[in-house]
Amino acid sequence: MAGAGRVWRLGALLLPPAWRLRAPGRAFGAAAGRGGSSGGRLVLGAAFALGGTAGLCLAARQRLREHSAAELPAGSLQLTLYQYKTCPFCSKVRAFLDYHGLPYEIVEVNPIMRKEIKFSSYRKVPILLANAGSPLQLNDSSVIISAIKTYLVSRRNSLEEIVSFYPPIKTVTEKGKEVVEYENKYWLMLDEKETKRVYPVKEVRVEEMKWRKWADDWLVHLISPNVYRTPKEALASFDYIVREGKFGTLEGLFAKYVGAVAMFFVSKRLKKRHQLRDDVREDLYQAVNEWVKAVGKNRLFMGGNQPNLADLAVYGVLRVMEGLEAFDDMMAHTNIQPWYQRMEEVIEKTGVAI
């Protein structure tokens, strides 16, 4: 069972949240039972780690910069991000931090052993350790973004108090599974004056929250089926994941070849689960064009002249496909390229005024 658990964690990197919360046996059902050997299950887990959370935290060829919290002035917000480099949820957080010019340290987590986060009872990434006078752990990418943004806009409350506005709530699904969700995670906790400054009209806030949620609830589910669509694409995806992730030599070889095969078949299950078309590219193209249409022709970004939190969320999710066939196809067959290039440019500049 130890081997199966490790495999599952590895695979959880690219799977949507609902899949990651499942126990290994339930997640793979009969397929897990048939494999027999712990080695086979380890491979499958490896596959998932790469393909998990929302889809392939993959090819984040994002210009991942190493930020050192030690460079911050005394009394500033010191941040440490625990992540899988190829995870879309982690990519969302990095896009947010980079855009706001916030220095941070990165700790790459081994998706199999996860020794780097042994201090935490919360066993998923991203995890952000923040110190604004006292150390604090923030979980869940959307909570991290909302809480830190609130803190940047309003210094009235301590970060600890702000985080308390996003309480974890345990619920049980129809299938009897216990899951943890966070209340208010798309809200910024601002007073009336601050809200007017960030959201001049109510519709702006409603729109941003709607599309942030869309990125988490729909867009991420399109990544894995697309990057693992064919055996060739699955192998290319795992090749990138192994090169960029924190794997031992044997772990890497095992993950690359066995994981690619496993995730190719898992992607078919994900396609059925989310009722995607036979050609999953069509669903990706449609989603991306829906986003472009929502931004409109008269705005540079959904946030206007500068990205808002929805822009950063969508960009963070999509960029994990960079360097893969799915990304190239998306650029060639949708209208996303102008907006995407503007996002790249503005995040490269960093240090936006709050």
Side-chain angles (χ1 to χ4, degrees):
M1 289 305 296
R6 291 173 185 172
V7 175
W8 166 250
R9 291 195 292 271
L10 177 56
L13 288 177
L14 305 178
L15 289 176
W19 282 70
R20 284 183 288 125
L21 288 169
R22 295 181 176 183
R26 294 180 182 176
F28 301 110
R34 285 191 213 117
S37 70
S38 60
R41 290 193 293 270
L42 178 57
V43 174
L44 185 53
F48 273 102
L50 300 174
T53 38
L56 179 105
C57 314
L58 262 179
R61 284 192 194 274
Q62 56 256 37
R63 298 100 180 109
L64 180 62
R65 297 181 289 274
E66 290 289 337
H67 298 261
S68 173
E71 298 172 0
L72 287 170
S76 297
L77 186 62
Q78 296 188 6
L79 304 172
T80 303
L81 177 64
Y82 291 79
Q83 65 155 24
Y84 304 136
K85 181 180 177 182
T86 55
C87 168
F89 293 114
C90 300
S91 179
K92 279 173 49 186
V93 174
R94 290 196 308 271
F96 169 80
L97 296 176
D98 289 345
Y99 174 68
H100 289 89
L102 295 173
Y104 58 98
E105 294 179 342
I106 288 176
V107 176
E108 191 69 20
V109 176
N110 181 297
I112 298 177
M113 302 305 295
R114 297 185 299 173
K115 291 181 179 179
E116 296 80 5
I117 55 173
K118 64 182 179 181
F119 62 85
S120 174
S121 59
Y122 182 81
R123 304 300 290 166
K124 295 184 287 186
V125 292
I127 291 174
L128 186 71
L129 295 189
N131 193 328
S134 59
L136 186 65
Q137 178 176 328
L138 286 74
N139 306 324
D140 186 275
S141 63
S142 291
V143 170
I144 290 170
I145 290 168
S146 293
I148 298 297
K149 180 68 173 182
T150 298
Y151 180 78
L152 294 174
V153 173
S154 173
R155 298 299 181 112
R156 294 176 298 102
N157 299 320
S158 68
L159 182 57
E160 185 173 7
E161 183 177 359
I162 291 171
V163 172
S164 71
F165 298 145
Y166 305 96
I169 304 296
K170 291 184 178 181
T171 60
V172 179
T173 68
E174 295 178 354
K175 297 182 178 180
K177 290 190 58 61
E178 185 178 88
V179 298
V180 177
E181 191 51 87
Y182 289 84
E183 291 285 298
N184 311 317
K185 67 181 181 180
Y186 300 111
W187 285 86
L188 302 188
M189 300 304 173
L190 308 173
D191 64 22
E192 185 175 355
K193 182 178 179 181
E194 294 160 350
T195 299
K196 284 288 185 182
R197 179 155 63 92
V198 178
Y199 305 109
V201 295
K202 179 181 178 181
E203 290 74 17
V204 173
R205 184 181 213 170
V206 171
E207 181 183 52
E208 179 185 81
M209 293 173 64
K210 170 188 173 181
W211 289 96
R212 288 181 68 191
K213 189 173 188 301
W214 174 84
D216 285 352
D217 292 349
W218 178 241
L219 186 61
V220 294
H221 294 292
L222 301 178
I223 306 299
S224 287
N226 273 278
V227 299
Y228 300 126
R229 185 181 62 153
T230 66
K232 178 184 175 182
E233 289 180 89
L235 185 61
S237 297
F238 267 83
D239 180 66
Y240 176 79
I241 292 170
V242 170
R243 281 188 287 109
E244 298 297 327
K246 187 174 183 178
F247 295 91
T249 302
L250 293 179
E251 288 176 343
L253 289 172
F254 195 64
K256 177 178 176 179
Y257 293 102
V258 182
V261 173
M263 282 311 300
F264 168 71
F265 289 105
V266 169
S267 70
K268 306 309 175 187
R269 296 180 63 183
L270 291 174
K271 181 173 73 172
K272 182 178 180 180
R273 178 185 179 88
H274 298 294
Q275 300 179 340
L276 304 181
R277 281 171 262 194
D278 288 338
D279 184 357
V280 293
R281 284 288 198 274
E282 295 302 320
D283 293 286
L284 177 63
Y285 299 160
Q286 180 178 335
V288 166
N289 281 330
E290 284 176 3
W291 164 254
V292 173
K293 182 178 179 180
V295 172
K297 297 181 179 180
N298 299 319
R299 295 187 290 185
L300 295 176
F301 308 99
M302 181 166 281
N305 291 328
Q306 290 292 324
N308 64 11
L309 299 183
D311 286 292
L312 294 169
V314 173
Y315 173 75
V317 170
L318 292 178
R319 74 173 174 178
V320 300
M321 296 189 295
E322 283 190 20
L324 300 178
E325 185 178 329
F327 182 85
D328 294 339
D329 287 348
M330 177 184 73
M331 286 296 186
H333 295 96
T334 72
N335 301 316
I336 194 73
Q337 188 169 354
W339 170 86
Y340 193 90
Q341 289 178 338
R342 290 193 293 269
M343 287 297 301
E344 287 183 312
E345 292 168 3
V346 76
I347 288 180
E348 282 295 322
K349 294 177 183 177
T350 71
V352 65
I354 302 300

